[in-house]
Amino acid sequence: MNKKKVAVVGAGLSGLMAAKELSKNAFDITVYEKEVKPGGRMRTDTVHGWELDRGFQVLLTGYPYLKKHLEDLSIDLVQLDAGATVFHENKRSNIGDPGRDISLLIPTLFSPVGTLKDKWLIFKLQRMLKKKSIAAIFNTENSTTAAWLKQYGFSNQIIKRFFQPFYGGIFLEDRLETSCRMFLFVFKMFAEGEAVIPIGGIGKFSEEIAALLDGEGVKFYYDTPVQTVGKGKLTTEKRGSEHYDVIINTASKLNNNYQITWKGTYVFYFQHPGEPVIKTPRIGLVADESKVINNVFYATATQSKTREGRQLLSVTVVNDDDYSLVELQRKVRQEVTQMVNQKIDYVHHEVIDYALPDIASPVDEQKLSITDQVVHIGDYQLNGSQNAACKIGEAAAKLLNEQHA
Ligand SMILES: Cc1cc2nc3c(=O)[nH]c(=O)nc-3n(C[C@H](O)[C@H](O)[C@H](O)COP(=O)(O)OP(=O)(O)OC[C@H]3O[C@@H](n4cnc5c(N)ncnc54)[C@H](O)[C@@H]3O)c2cc1C
C-alpha cells in the first residue's frame, strides 16, 4: 500500500509533535524548516562557546501535553527552585512555595514582597486550582490578570513586587493585561509540576525530538523556507513545487485566516568571574519600576560544558520603555553591574519580535479541519504556551489519522 505523503511546514514544537504522532503510523513525512535547525521559538544558539537560549524560557513538567514527550527523551534537566529572589530597592528577599520546598517557609512568611493575607491567598488559590480542570480554567469569565488579582483580594504590594515581575516575564508584558485564564492556567501548572531547563539549553528538547524522528525515517529539509501552500501543493525556491496528500502548516504567515499581534522581548547575556549573585538555579525578579530589567537567570547552570570561574547571566527585558537599542543596552549593563557588583562582559543579545501571540480570549480546544489539503496549526490558535503547541500538533496528527489511515 502506498504511504500517504504528508508535509509539515515548520520544525517548531507544534510541527514536531504532529510529525512525532504521525510517525507512529504509515505516513511518508517531510518537514520543511526555514531555519538551519529545529526548535522555532524554543531555540538555543552557540555563541562564543556558550549555549544561549533565544529568550529565557522554561519547560513546565505539569503541562499534560508536554509531560509525556519529556518522558520519552533521555535529556538531563536542571530543576529550577520553587521560588524567586526578588530585588527591590537595592534589597533582596526570597519568596517561594513552602509546599514544595520547606526551607522557603520562613523567608516567604517574612518576605516584604506581600502581606500575610497575600501569602494566605496564594495558598488558597493553589488549593482551588488543584481541583479545577484545565478545560474549566479556559471557560473562566474573561478579564485581565490585573483585574482578577485585585478582585481576588491581593494587595497592590504583592501585585507590584511579585505578580508584575513574575507573570510579566511569562506573559511578556508587565501591565498584566493578559487574560486571567492564562494566569490561572500557568499558576496551576507551576503548582503541579516543576520548571526545568534541559542541559544544553531549551533547544535541546526540540533537537532531541527531531533526531528521534530523523532516525524513524522522517525527512527534514532545513534552510528551506516555504513560499506557498495550497491544494496539496507546496513551493520552495530550493525545490520548486512538490505535491502532498496533506500539508500541516505551522508557519502563521502562511495562514491567511488569522491576523496575529505578537508580543516581543529582549534577552541580553553577560559573563562575569567569581561567584553568582544567586547561588542556586532560581529566577531573580527585578521589582523596581524605574528599572528596565524584568528578570535574570544564571544560565551557567544549563551549560553542557562548564567554564572554570565564569558565570553566564541571562537578562530579560519585557518593556523597553521606548529606549533605543543602544540606550537599552547601556541601561541594562548599568543595572546588571549594580546587581552583581563587579565587572561584567557583554556576550550577546537577541531582539525577539515574535515571541508570544497576543490573544484576548485564549482557549484550550479548537476544531481543526483540512481545507484544500492543508491544515493550519500553531500555539496562536489556542494560547501562547508549549502545552498548546504540543496539543494542537497532536490534534492535527489525530485528524489525519482519522481521515487518511
Ligand atoms: C522568549 C520566549 C519565552 C517563552 N517562554 C515560554 C514559557 O516559559 N513557557 C511556555 O509554555 N511557552 C513559552 N514560550 C512560547 C513557546 O515557545 C511557544 O508556545 C512554542 O514554541 C510555539 O510553537 P509553535 O510550533 O506553535 O510555533 P513556532 O515555534 O513559531 O514554530 C513555527 C516554525 O515554523 C518555521 N517557519 C516559519 N515560517 C516558515 C516558512 N515560510 N517555511 C518554513 N518554515 C517556517 C519557524 O522557523 C518555526 O520553526 C516562549 C516563547 C518565547 C519566544
Side-chain angles (χ1 to χ4, degrees):
M1 196 180 84
N2 272 351
K3 282 181 169 182
K4 296 278 177 200
K5 281 180 73 190
V6 179
V8 177
V9 180
L13 206 49
S14 61
L16 290 173
M17 291 307 158
K20 185 167 182 255
E21 285 307 305
L22 286 174
S23 69
K24 293 177 189 161
N25 290 314
F27 288 100
D28 180 355
I29 307 161
T30 308
V31 181
Y32 293 76
E33 169 56 53
K34 73 175 165 95
E35 305 276 346
V36 295
K37 60 199 252 196
R41 277 174 274 153
M42 288 174 66
R43 267 192 61 178
T44 304
D45 301 309
T46 304
V47 181
H48 306 312
W50 291 111
E51 287 145 341
L52 308 181
D53 290 349
R54 279 211 192 168
F56 177 66
Q57 178 164 182
V58 297
L59 298 170
L60 293 184
T61 64
Y63 282 153
Y65 283 84
L66 181 80
K67 201 188 310 191
K68 47 188 173 186
H69 301 287
L70 261 176
E71 286 158 8
D72 288 349
L73 303 174
S74 55
I75 45 178
D76 294 323
L77 301 167
V78 171
Q79 189 178 319
L80 272 65
D81 288 358
T85 295
V86 181
F87 295 85
H88 177 65
E89 291 174 352
N90 299 325
K91 291 198 191 80
R92 263 190 277 173
S93 60
N94 288 334
I95 181 165
D97 178 359
R100 306 230 312 268
D101 180 352
I102 192 67
S103 70
L104 288 167
L105 179 64
I106 303 296
T108 300
L109 285 177
F110 289 98
S111 155
V113 165
T115 62
L116 265 183
K117 182 183 165 201
D118 288 326
K119 289 157 198 171
W120 159 245
L121 284 175
I122 286 182
F123 176 68
K124 189 175 138 195
L125 182 58
Q126 266 180 0
R127 283 174 57 108
M128 185 270 273
L129 287 176
K130 276 211 161 142
K131 292 188 212 133
K132 206 164 178 155
S133 70
I134 294 174
I137 286 176
F138 278 96
N139 275 325
T140 305
E141 195 183 327
N142 210 4
S143 69
T144 66
T145 296
W148 192 93
L149 290 169
K150 279 200 183 121
Q151 163 270 317
Y152 199 70
F154 284 111
S155 71
N156 282 335
Q157 184 180 335
I158 197 160
I159 292 175
K160 285 211 171 314
R161 293 190 194 171
F162 175 68
F163 288 114
Q164 271 182 0
F166 191 69
Y167 283 90
I170 293 169
F171 299 153
L172 303 180
E173 56 89 13
D174 55 8
R175 296 168 69 167
L176 302 187
E177 284 170 344
T178 299
S179 165
C180 65
R181 294 174 186 172
M182 279 318 276
F183 166 73
L184 296 171
F185 171 56
V186 174
F187 193 101
K188 178 178 170 74
M189 294 299 100
F190 270 107
E192 293 181 358
E194 313 294 345
V196 297
I197 303 178
I199 295 280
I202 196 82
K204 194 82 187 157
F205 180 73
S206 321
E207 285 164 28
E208 288 291 309
I209 290 181
L212 208 83
L213 294 175
D214 196 30
E216 282 168 15
V218 174
K219 278 196 285 297
F220 282 87
Y221 295 138
Y222 291 111
D223 200 13
T224 309
V226 172
Q227 296 162 320
T228 60
V229 289
K231 300 213 168 94
K233 193 172 90 176
L234 176 153
T235 56
T236 59
E237 202 177 295
K238 276 190 175 170
R239 306 179 50 83
S241 294
E242 289 169 292
H243 292 267
Y244 287 93
D245 292 303
V246 182
I247 299 167
I248 298 178
N249 170 47
T250 76
S252 57
K253 284 193 183 146
L254 297 177
N255 181 357
N256 298 325
N257 305 326
Y258 269 80
Q259 284 294 329
I260 312 163
T261 323
W262 289 92
K263 293 186 278 187
T265 181
Y266 300 79
V267 65
F268 295 86
Y269 286 96
F270 295 94
Q271 53 175 336
H272 69 78
E275 288 294 302
V277 174
I278 302 170
K279 305 272 183 278
T280 53
R282 85 175 13 221
I283 189 167
L285 302 175
V286 177
D288 290 321
E289 278 174 1
S290 61
K291 302 259 166 82
V292 288
I293 298 178
N294 171 274
N295 68 66
V296 297
F297 178 74
Y298 274 100
T300 327
T302 62
Q303 301 300 302
S304 50
K305 289 189 204 101
T306 49
R307 297 261 193 104
E308 209 48 53
R310 304 297 298 169
Q311 306 296 338
L312 177 70
L313 190 66
S314 144
V315 177
T316 300
V317 172
V318 166
N319 182 351
D320 62 15
D321 283 334
D322 291 333
Y323 285 113
S324 70
L325 186 57
V326 174
E327 287 170 321
L328 192 65
Q329 214 161 337
R330 193 179 43 77
K331 250 195 128 336
V332 166
R333 179 181 259 284
Q334 235 172 31
E335 290 177 16
V336 175
T337 307
Q338 195 185 22
M339 180 187 281
V340 306
N341 198 23
Q342 59 183 312
K343 187 179 169 307
I344 53 167
D345 292 321
Y346 165 84
V347 175
H348 185 68
H349 78 268
E350 287 284 342
V351 182
I352 305 149
D353 291 325
Y354 304 99
L356 285 179
D358 194 357
I359 305 171
S361 292
V363 293
D364 189 46
E365 289 287 347
Q366 188 76 262
K367 193 165 165 33
L368 294 177
S369 59
I370 304 173
T371 310
D372 286 340
Q373 291 163 263
V374 180
V375 55
H376 297 282
I377 59 166
D379 67 339
Y380 65 91
Q381 295 176 15
L382 299 178
N383 58 78
S385 70
Q386 297 146 5
N387 191 62
C390 293
K391 182 169 182 178
I392 203 156
E394 214 177 290
K398 195 162 167 242
L399 184 69
L400 264 69
N401 275 328
E402 283 164 8
Q403 298 198 359
H404 290 267

